[in-house]
Structures are given as C-alpha cells and as structure tokens.
Amino acid sequence: GCTEQIVSKTMPEIVLGANQPLVREHVARTVATLRTRQTQDGGFGLYSPGGEAPDFPTVYAGHFLVEAKARGYAVPPDLLKAANTWLARYAASKGASLWDERNRAYAIYLLTLQETQTASLVSAITDRLNANKETKGWQSDLTAAYLAASLKLLKDEAGADKMIAQVGLAQKDWFRGYSYYDGMVRDAVLLDLTARHF
C-alpha cells in the first residue's frame, strides 16, 4: 500500500491499543516501511523516497509517528526529528488554496502537540486565510479546528473557544474532488479534536 494506506491500517490500532503485542508488531512494521520511504528533507514518498514528498501523506505519517511515540511505541528519534523538520518548513510556507492551508494547519497542530511554540505560525496562517479569497469560509472548515486546537494547546483559551465554535459537523457533500478528504473524514477529525481539547 501507499504511505497513506499503511498509516491508516495501523493508526486505529495505536489509538485503541487493544492487543499490545500485535499492535507493537504492526507499529514496528509501519515504522520500518516509513523509514524506507523518508526523503532527504524528512518527508515521506508514497511508495519510495524518490521525488518530492506529497503534502498530506507526509503530514499524516508525521501524525502517526507522534501518536505512536505518545503511546509508548518505539519510534526512532531520528525518524521523527527529520519528519518534524519537514513539518516545520512546510507549516511556515504559504498555501494557495484551502486544501493547501488545511494541510499546513494540520502540520502546525502536530508541532504544537509536541510542545513546539507555534503562535507565530498560527498568526501567519490566520492572516493569509483571511486575506485570500480562495480560502473564503475557512472558519467553518477543518482548518479552523486544527488552528483552534493549536490555540488551546498554546493556552489561548478565548481564541480557541471562539474559533472552534464556528466549526460544525458537515451539512452537505461539497468534498468531491479531494483526495484523502470527505465529509466523514472531516467530521471524524473534528470529533477527535473536540474530544481531546475542548
């Protein structure tokens, strides 16, 4: 499977953690595969480390590594450090569309979750989102939920609560054309972020 697929197979196991020995085996296998796919700049290729790392699969693989480490599974420090270097560079770059900025907000959230100071990144992306007509309506998008969770972790309670209040469950199917993203994904992630941080 591609990077997104192998992470998706193992992520529920580490979150639910029902069968520890079996989960450890699966996590080790996924980590070993990710190592073979890590690019020189810390991203992850879909099937190999060649070429430029695709945005969402790399952020998602980074999320897997963060979750696995937080739950006590073996994650090589150098693998996560390189992934975090990629996430930091990516989070600081500018996106052209809501899809681009959503992935950057996701990367910011992962860095914040690891106690990286990201207030300037949150401020910069919020300014871009407000100024770009291509990202109109972002306040009700999952982008806002990632940023709200980051604000909560940064102890900006008022800003976080105000931002998350504008993000409701999906009311219509306007997700066609996006890889890795649809109404069910959006709502599942929103529920996860809300349960964890709000």
Side-chain angles (χ1 to χ4, degrees):
C2 72
T3 295
E4 179 274 327
Q5 290 169 329
I6 65 164
V7 168
S8 289
K9 287 179 182 177
T10 315
M11 186 75 92
E13 292 182 310
I14 63 171
V15 172
L16 299 174
N19 183 334
Q20 290 298 326
L22 188 59
V23 175
R24 288 190 191 289
E25 180 185 324
H26 291 173
V27 170
R29 188 179 320 132
T30 301
V31 166
T33 302
L34 288 176
R35 181 175 288 288
T36 68
R37 296 179 182 184
Q38 192 163 46
T39 60
Q40 287 186 330
D41 64 355
F44 295 95
L46 279 180
Y47 296 97
S48 69
E52 190 174 333
D55 299 345
F56 176 81
T58 293
V59 178
Y60 188 44
H63 191 177
F64 166 78
L65 295 173
V66 169
E67 292 289 349
K69 181 184 176 193
R71 286 167 169 76
Y73 295 101
V75 174
D78 63 314
L79 187 70
L80 182 56
K81 182 179 179 183
N84 281 333
T85 298
W86 187 96
L87 289 171
R89 188 173 49 255
Y90 179 68
S93 66
K94 296 179 182 179
S97 67
L98 187 55
W99 167 258
D100 293 339
E101 297 291 30
R102 183 184 307 117
N103 289 331
R104 282 164 176 78
Y106 186 10
I108 291 168
Y109 169 68
L110 294 178
L111 293 168
T112 313
L113 201 57
Q114 297 174 83
E115 301 181 351
T116 299
Q117 181 51 252
T118 58
S120 62
L121 293 172
V122 172
S123 179
I125 193 173
T126 302
D127 289 347
R128 286 198 312 270
L129 288 162
N130 286 327
N132 187 350
K133 58 185 173 185
E134 296 297 319
T135 57
K136 185 178 177 182
W138 72 269
Q139 296 88 344
S140 62
D141 187 78
L142 193 55
T143 305
Y146 284 127
L147 295 175
S150 294
L151 288 173
K152 193 77 161 184
L153 290 164
L154 293 166
K155 307 299 184 203
D156 180 353
E157 304 281 340
D161 291 343
K162 181 179 177 184
M163 193 174 287
I164 198 69
Q166 299 179 70
V167 188
L169 295 176
Q171 299 296 314
K172 58 184 179 178
D173 181 19
W174 50 270
F175 303 96
R176 290 188 195 105
Y178 289 107
S179 297
Y180 314 116
Y181 189 66
D182 61 18
M184 186 168 64
V185 169
R186 178 197 184 279
D187 287 353
V189 173
L190 175 60
L191 289 169
D192 177 56
L193 293 171
T194 303
R196 285 184 190 218
H197 305 294
F198 296 93

